[in-house]
Amino acid sequence: MDASTPSSIPPEVYKQDRGPGLVIIIWVFASLALATVTIRIWTRFKLLHRSGPEDLLIFSALIGSLIWGAILTASVRQGLGKHAYALDPSRVSMALKL
């Protein structure tokens, strides 16, 4: 603990880290979404031989979700999921920037 840390915070707070669980949840659901969209696109193009504007929107949403998952993963590496008191001030600002 450094001098800027309030003494009323219990030491267990510094050990809490919900980041790894967040990353697991993000990528499990991203994998399910990727599998679902892949099956849908494959079905629409190969079996039905037609597609619509909704397919492009679904694919775009999937790409956006994957990018957001990557940003959140980078944020976890910077300290997202930990208490702000447990981080260096430079890491707090970087985690908030992402």
Side-chain angles (χ1 to χ4, degrees):
M1 265 193 262
D2 59 74
S4 66
T5 305
S7 60
S8 63
I9 298 174
E12 300 85 40
V13 169
Y14 297 97
K15 296 177 185 172
Q16 294 175 353
D17 188 3
R18 295 187 179 191
L22 178 64
V23 170
I24 290 170
I25 290 171
I26 288 168
W27 292 111
V28 164
F29 281 104
S31 299
L32 291 172
L34 182 64
T36 303
V37 172
T38 301
I39 291 170
R40 176 187 168 88
I41 298 293
W42 182 80
T43 302
R44 298 280 291 193
F45 283 108
K46 294 291 182 179
L47 297 180
L48 301 177
H49 301 292
R50 61 186 159 108
S51 66
E54 68 274 6
D55 295 319
L56 180 61
L57 291 174
I58 289 172
F59 185 72
S60 300
L62 175 66
I63 297 300
S65 295
L66 294 176
I67 290 170
W68 182 244
I71 290 171
L72 283 177
T73 300
S75 295
V76 166
R77 289 187 182 153
Q78 293 299 323
L80 182 69
K82 294 182 182 179
H83 198 282
Y85 289 119
L87 299 174
D88 296 331
S90 63
R91 294 193 83 179
V92 171
S93 65
M94 182 56 95
L96 292 175
K97 285 180 186 177
L98 292 175

